[in-house]
Amino acid sequence: MSVSQNLTLGYAALIGLGGVMGYAKSGSGKSLVAGGISAAALYYVYTQLPVNPTFASAVGLGVSGALLGVMGARFRQTGKMFPAGVVSLVSLGMAGGYLHGIIRAGF
């Protein structure tokens, strides 16, 4: 398993767990659904990285960019580092990694 896959799998777990925590803590069905869909998409990226890295990286970039936008706006609004700030920072790093993967593949 590559480093990219390991990071993507960890990122998917973080996002999925965050959705479950949001639901458990405040009863937010939106958090549960959004976390589940995002985690599922990231798991798909994890499975596709070895066979179709450019496409997988593009999907990962889209998911991490969306999470960065949503959670970044929430962090600006609330100023709370957890969970919005943490997810924003991790999403920024992952977006950079996926962009690097796309550029490296020559797309």
Side-chain angles (χ1 to χ4, degrees):
M1 191 168 10
S2 71
V3 172
S4 306
Q5 282 183 286
N6 283 330
L7 290 172
T8 297
L9 190 57
Y11 184 41
L14 173 75
I15 299 303
L17 184 59
V20 170
M21 287 176 56
Y23 179 74
K25 186 175 180 181
S26 62
S28 173
K30 289 180 186 179
S31 291
L32 185 61
V33 171
I37 290 171
S38 298
L42 290 166
Y43 184 78
Y44 175 75
V45 170
Y46 161 78
T47 64
Q48 293 301 302
L49 276 169
V51 292
N52 195 350
T54 304
F55 177 72
S57 293
V59 172
L61 180 61
V63 172
S64 59
L67 287 168
L68 175 60
V70 170
M71 296 306 272
R74 189 167 296 157
F75 175 67
R76 264 195 326 247
Q77 199 173 48
T78 65
K80 293 183 180 179
M81 194 61 191
F82 188 79
V86 171
V87 173
S88 297
L89 288 173
V90 173
S91 295
L92 179 62
M94 291 303 292
Y98 293 129
L99 185 59
H100 177 264
I102 292 168
I103 292 169
R104 193 170 143 209
F107 178 64

